Amino acid sequence: MKVLITGCNGQVGSLLVKQLTGKAELMAVDRDQIDITDEQAVLDAVTAFKPDAIINAAAHTAVDRAEEEVELSYQINRDGPLYLARAAEQVGAAILHISTDYVFSGDKDGVYSETDLTAPQGVYGESKLAGEQAVVATCPRHIILRTAWVFGETGNNFVKTMIRLGRDRNQLGIVGDQFGGPTYAGDIAATLIAIAERYKAGTDVAWGIYHYAGLPSVSWFEFASYIFDAAKAQGVLEHIPALNSITTADYPTPAKRPANSRLSMDKIGAEFGIDACDWQKALTDIRPYGI
């Protein structure tokens, strides 16, 4: 299998490379190698390499900065996926594209399914939804994988932030009225690889939009509590700061966060036999996050 990975230095991209090394012929690139907002550069690379699958792990994920960097957000989150999908269609490849819970308003009671109406509340979610729509309209062999609360050993994420703050602070206020499923980047990578391998093997693939996230669903406050308990038990932290549950209103940000980011895993389980991410298991060794 020949796979082109974009965003190869990011949280998911780096683990895609790690898991596929030795198992597939890889072309792993980040913005320094291929600017996905440059349509000709994308087309030249894809037509030269002729991948079986393109996995797009590149994105502008700075949610608050996106409110100011509107044009850049759309270039990376909409135009880049569009150019990759066009190139995939030209060479007969599949495109697997990572999206986000931010395409929803976050106001629903219960879990979000793939058929629920989208209603992004900020530039990040709007640009990611535009990217989804571009991929769907351009290449019929597509998988859109919406995920949430991603953490991994590479890059910045909530787990690393909590451990860093835990070393410096005696007390922390953590938002307790936003809920979602923490999702390990390595499990996202494994899910994408499993679908790509199924396509390469000639097995029928039900193309479309899927949700993939972690269980159990928790609040940020509950997630932080688990992180600190694990870090203390594993010797990463000497002490646990006192945690206070605060409201979203207590912690204003430029971009609105979804109050409910819980995603249904029913469809991906039925179509591919893929279970929800066990994020607690993923933190069995929390030491890499404290380096």
Side-chain angles (χ1 to χ4, degrees), residues 81-100:
L82 170 62
Y83 302 153
L84 289 165
R86 282 179 180 168
E89 178 66 1
Q90 184 152 325
V91 301
I95 180 166
L96 290 77
H97 172 67
I98 301 170
S99 193
T100 174

Side-chain angles (χ1 to χ4, degrees), residues 169-240:
R169 309 276 185 88
N170 293 319
Q171 185 168 317
L172 287 171
I174 308 295
V175 172
D177 60 355
Q178 296 172 17
F179 296 86
T183 315
Y184 175 52
D187 291 337
I188 298 171
T191 294
L192 293 165
I193 291 168
I195 295 172
E197 288 176 338
R198 181 165 172 164
Y199 168 61
K200 177 59 177 174
T203 306
D204 286 341
V205 173
W207 306 110
I209 297 173
Y210 291 86
H211 290 172
Y212 181 75
L215 286 176
S217 296
V218 288
S219 67
W220 288 115
F221 176 81
E222 291 167 331
F223 189 26
S225 298
Y226 189 93
I227 291 165
F228 285 123
D229 287 343
K232 177 71 161 53
Q234 296 175 39
V236 175
L237 289 177
E238 292 182 2
H239 73 280
I240 297 175

Side-chain angles (χ1 to χ4, degrees), residues 61-138:
T61 58
V63 175
D64 289 325
R65 284 213 320 270
E67 295 299 310
E68 302 269 345
E69 300 172 345
V70 178
E71 184 177 357
L72 180 63
S73 297
Y74 275 90
Q75 287 174 345
I76 298 172
N77 294 340
R78 177 195 61 196
D79 299 345
L82 170 62
Y83 302 153
L84 289 165
R86 282 179 180 168
E89 178 66 1
Q90 184 152 325
V91 301
I95 180 166
L96 290 77
H97 172 67
I98 301 170
S99 193
T100 174
D101 58 295
Y102 276 70
V103 300
F104 297 115
S105 67
D107 297 331
K108 179 184 178 180
D109 292 329
V111 297
Y112 277 99
S113 70
E114 291 81 354
T115 55
D116 281 324
L117 291 177
T118 53
Q121 300 295 295
V123 173
Y124 171 64
E126 290 167 353
S127 63
K128 289 295 287 182
L129 179 60
E132 288 187 11
Q133 293 167 339
V135 170
V136 169
T138 305

